[in-house]
Amino acid sequence: MKRTILFDTETTGLDPLRGDRVIEIAALELMGDLPTGRNFHVLIDPERDVPEEASRVHGFTRADLEGKPKFAEVASGFLEFVGNDPLIAHNARFDFGFLNAELSRAGRPELDMARMVDTLDMARERFPGMPNSLDALCRRFSIDLSERTTHNVLLDCRLLAAVYLELTGGRQRGLGLAVEDGGGGIATYDYVRPAGRVGVRVQPDTAEIAAHQAFVSRLSSPLWTG
């Protein structure tokens, strides 16, 4: 099954070439485009001040980051987590630019841009001329934004995972059969076989089996084939 990594960063500003640094990284593992629950998350000492305008966006001050590990200390853990798999981000060139600047500064190999999957590009292609920020896409796809007050990279990754699923036309949302109004987490029903009713076993013939196999071969990663 295909493994991809969805990630996000927070920074001290907008331009790594002018000395802005990464202060937070979060990454989620996806298997078959669905989150597995494995993640990587770290706060980083940027070794510089955090401008007030940046703090207003992500909520972190210089004092919040004092004593946190420096990027060079977390680089190995990050690279190990992401492996060689495709890397998904919203406005991915921004995040790749910052991470590659940090990796270069730490004497580590930069991320190959060929691994980049940019959900902003995907959204612009699907919704040309429309707002395509993460918030706008969440509202468009009816994804709950109630927990998003300031930027939070781990929460943003989870929201983006849901957006990415919609953008790729993946598994339909809302098929969990959850029961509302306190009815429990699983939908159940009772069935009583009518008296005297005998089950009928259906055996497909050769033509029907061949038609089914031809249909399945045209599907993109059907769940039951692994």
Side-chain angles (χ1 to χ4, degrees), residues 71-212:
F71 183 87
E73 299 173 70
V74 303
S76 292
F78 172 72
L79 291 172
E80 180 180 352
F81 183 81
V82 303
N84 295 311
D85 299 299
L87 295 168
I88 306 164
H90 200 66
N91 193 15
R93 290 171 185 80
F94 176 89
D95 299 285
F96 266 73
F98 266 95
L99 286 174
N100 280 340
E102 294 285 1
L103 288 165
S104 178
R105 186 180 287 113
R108 307 301 295 266
E110 296 184 7
L111 301 172
D112 184 350
M113 298 295 284
R115 298 172 62 182
M116 183 178 71
V117 179
D118 193 340
T119 52
L120 180 57
D121 288 347
M122 295 170 66
R124 285 171 172 167
E125 182 175 349
R126 182 167 173 183
F127 304 109
M130 298 179 66
N132 286 306
S133 67
L134 180 58
D135 282 1
L137 290 168
C138 285
R139 287 191 290 269
R140 193 168 301 147
F141 292 129
S142 300
I143 296 167
D144 184 13
L145 277 168
S146 60
E147 294 183 49
R148 195 171 193 253
T149 51
T150 59
H151 282 230
N152 175 304
V153 291
L154 199 53
L155 174 60
D156 285 359
C157 281
R158 291 171 179 145
L159 293 173
L160 186 57
V163 166
Y164 178 68
L165 192 62
E166 295 283 2
L167 289 172
T168 55
R171 315 295 184 265
Q172 281 185 281
R173 297 168 60 240
L175 295 183
L177 301 181
V179 178
E180 298 179 354
D181 301 324
I186 301 174
T188 62
Y189 66 92
D190 295 320
Y191 172 75
V192 178
R193 185 185 297 277
R197 180 71 59 85
V198 178
V200 178
R201 183 174 182 178
V202 178
Q203 179 64 47
D205 59 29
T206 302
E208 290 171 327
I209 292 173
H212 173 71

